[in-house]
Amino acid sequence: MAEEPVPNGNSPRDSDDVRRTLVALNLVHGDRGLICALAQRLRTAGELRSDRFAEEAASSLEAPLDRVRTILLAARGRLDDARAEMARASEGGVEIVTLFDPEYPPALADLGLQAPPVLYVRGRLAVAPGISIVGSRKADAYGLEVASWFARRLAAAGLVVISGFARGIDQAAHRSALAARAGTGSTAAVLGCGIDVDYPRGSRRTAAEIARHGCLITEFPLGRQPRAHHFPIRNRLIAALGFASLVVRAARRSGSLITARLALDLGRDVYAVPGSVLSRESAGAHLLLRDGAIPALDPDAMLETLPTSILAQLERPEADAAARGRSAAGVSDVDDLLVALRDGARTPEELASRLQRPVPGILATLARLEVDGLVRRYEGANYALMAR
């Protein structure tokens, strides 16, 4: 399977026909890798019943012809289901994005023939660069605290935090990213089930919040229940969507380690948080560090090591202050204070005098901006904009 994937946005002539064909193929249970590879060759529903197409695909993909025919036959039988699936998605506020659509994430092209043919998206696919944060479902207090710290700070810098929505490290990262930037930080949750399935059970409220400030994304059809083999499939999307991956807690055999290995295979940087040598949940991260992963000791230090191409895409905090604060009280306070700090560090008293506001109010606003990673306190109670 050495062929290159079809460039996103290169739509076939009858885009509605091929969209329905891809959705039908995506509904088929079976060899996920072969389904993805076949999807990138399809252009019309007619090819599902073409012996010539089946033979050429089997030959070029070095796949058994009988298996290819079985998948194509199953997809042909799901064409009517595909039309119903697309209608259900639209009614439920879910966008279906195919690999031929311009909205299809360019980063997934790095997956080659394993790029998913169809994505279900609730919310808005991010334009800003993303960083993947993964870790154990059974994380201890240390792991949860570290994941929250990194996620909040990285989201405050403008990065989209990507994770797998599992309990533990994943959900800690999602929630902390949402709390950044005065409650408007962005995160993307990659699911191992249908986008309409409540999994982990009881997570609908968090999912809805993520959809408001980022997106939920999955390649699994509506109603598809989570299965153990879904999660390694999901992990390749987490690895590909981020320009780098951060492993917080991971056992020697874990999905987080799989994600990290996939990220390395894709040429992404991998960061790992060290932990206790006595902890089983740190053993995987320590293996990564032994093999050359970058130690993650501080989110600000991590930001300083990011590629210039990534840093150039991040928003300047003061330019985006109004948008972040519209839904929160005191938006004008935030705007005016950030503008006042453009000329250099100042004490709360100096800011209060300049803005004609009481010192306690200035201190409260500074505290909120410091938590969001937009300002920093220095010696002598001087505050300044966080350096980029």
Side-chain angles (χ1 to χ4, degrees):
M1 295 190 184
E3 294 186 2
E4 290 298 316
V6 175
N8 57 323
N10 186 16
S11 299
R13 183 175 298 173
D14 189 345
S15 58
D16 289 337
D17 178 61
V18 78
R19 173 179 291 272
R20 184 166 63 102
T21 304
L22 291 177
V23 172
L25 185 61
N26 196 63
L27 290 172
V28 174
H29 291 269
D31 185 335
R32 191 67 194 164
L34 184 53
I35 288 171
C36 290
L38 287 171
Q40 299 193 32
R41 300 179 61 85
L42 281 170
R43 295 298 181 277
T44 68
E47 289 174 328
L48 294 177
R49 55 179 63 90
S50 167
D51 285 337
R52 180 178 179 181
F53 175 83
E55 291 168 0
E56 290 178 350
S59 175
S60 64
L61 298 174
E62 299 179 0
L65 178 57
D66 60 342
R67 191 181 303 172
V68 170
R69 282 176 170 158
T70 298
I71 291 174
L72 296 178
L73 177 62
R76 192 169 70 199
R78 303 302 298 269
L79 285 169
D80 288 341
D81 296 333
R83 185 179 285 109
E85 177 88 349
M86 293 161 69
R88 285 176 57 204
S90 179
E91 291 168 3
V94 175
E95 182 181 7
I96 291 181
V97 179
T98 76
L99 58 85
F100 296 111
D101 294 330
E103 299 85 6
Y104 192 86
L108 295 185
D110 291 345
L111 291 172
L113 291 176
Q114 298 306 304
V118 172
L119 298 174
Y120 294 75
V121 180
R122 177 171 281 139
R124 186 171 59 183
L125 284 170
V127 176
I131 185 162
S132 302
I133 299 181
V134 295
S136 173
R137 287 176 169 84
K138 301 177 181 178
D140 56 10
Y142 168 78
L144 295 174
E145 182 179 3
V146 170
S148 298
W149 179 36
F150 273 82
R152 187 168 187 133
R153 179 65 194 99
L154 295 174
L159 295 171
V160 178
V161 171
I162 301 162
S163 198
F165 202 56
R167 298 198 193 280
I169 295 299
D170 290 11
Q171 290 206 2
H174 289 308
R175 291 193 182 102
S176 295
L178 290 172
R181 294 180 153 214
T184 61
S186 186
T187 187
V190 185
L191 310 180
C193 59
I195 205 164
D196 56 339
V197 175
D198 183 23
Y199 182 84
R201 192 175 299 278
S203 299
R204 287 194 186 277
R205 182 176 296 180
T206 303
E209 186 68 13
I210 289 172
R212 278 194 291 272
H213 297 294
C215 71
L216 304 170
I217 182 171
T218 184
E219 63 187 285
F220 297 104
L222 297 173
R224 187 69 58 87
Q225 296 298 311
R227 297 290 183 264
H229 67 277
H230 288 180
F231 296 97
I233 293 172
R234 173 206 64 178
N235 290 346
R236 82 192 194 290
L237 299 192
I238 298 174
L241 287 170
F243 69 86
S245 289
L246 169 64
V247 178
V248 178
R249 289 292 230 192
R252 283 178 176 268
R253 293 184 178 181
S254 65
S256 301
L257 224 56
I258 293 172
T259 303
R261 302 296 185 194
L262 290 168
L264 288 170
D265 289 344
L266 292 169
R268 284 18 175 195
D269 284 334
V270 171
Y271 295 79
V273 175
S276 168
V277 296
L278 303 177
S279 170
R280 290 173 128 188
E281 296 305 317
S282 287
H286 292 162
L287 284 176
L288 291 172
L289 290 167
R290 182 198 67 186
D291 294 341
I294 305 169
L297 306 178
D298 177 273
D300 290 317
M302 185 175 173
L303 285 167
E304 292 173 1
T305 68
L306 297 185
T308 54
S309 60
I310 298 299
L311 291 173
Q313 297 178 57
L314 301 182
E315 302 167 320
R316 292 185 60 83
E318 59 270 31
D320 195 42
R324 285 196 308 274
R326 282 192 186 102
S327 61
V331 60
S332 60
D333 292 353
V334 172
D335 292 346
D336 293 346
L337 196 149
L338 289 170
V339 170
L341 288 173
R342 285 180 178 175
D343 297 332
R346 298 184 184 279
T347 66
E349 291 76 16
E350 290 172 334
L351 291 167
S353 175
R354 179 169 179 171
L355 300 175
Q356 295 297 295
R357 292 188 183 134
V359 172
I362 292 292
L363 285 169
T365 303
L366 286 168
R368 189 166 82 241
L369 293 174
E370 188 174 11
V371 168
D372 288 340
L374 300 177
V375 302
R376 186 171 181 177
R377 182 179 178 178
Y378 295 88
E379 291 184 6
N382 284 296
Y383 287 80
L385 293 175
M386 182 70 75
R388 287 298 175 112

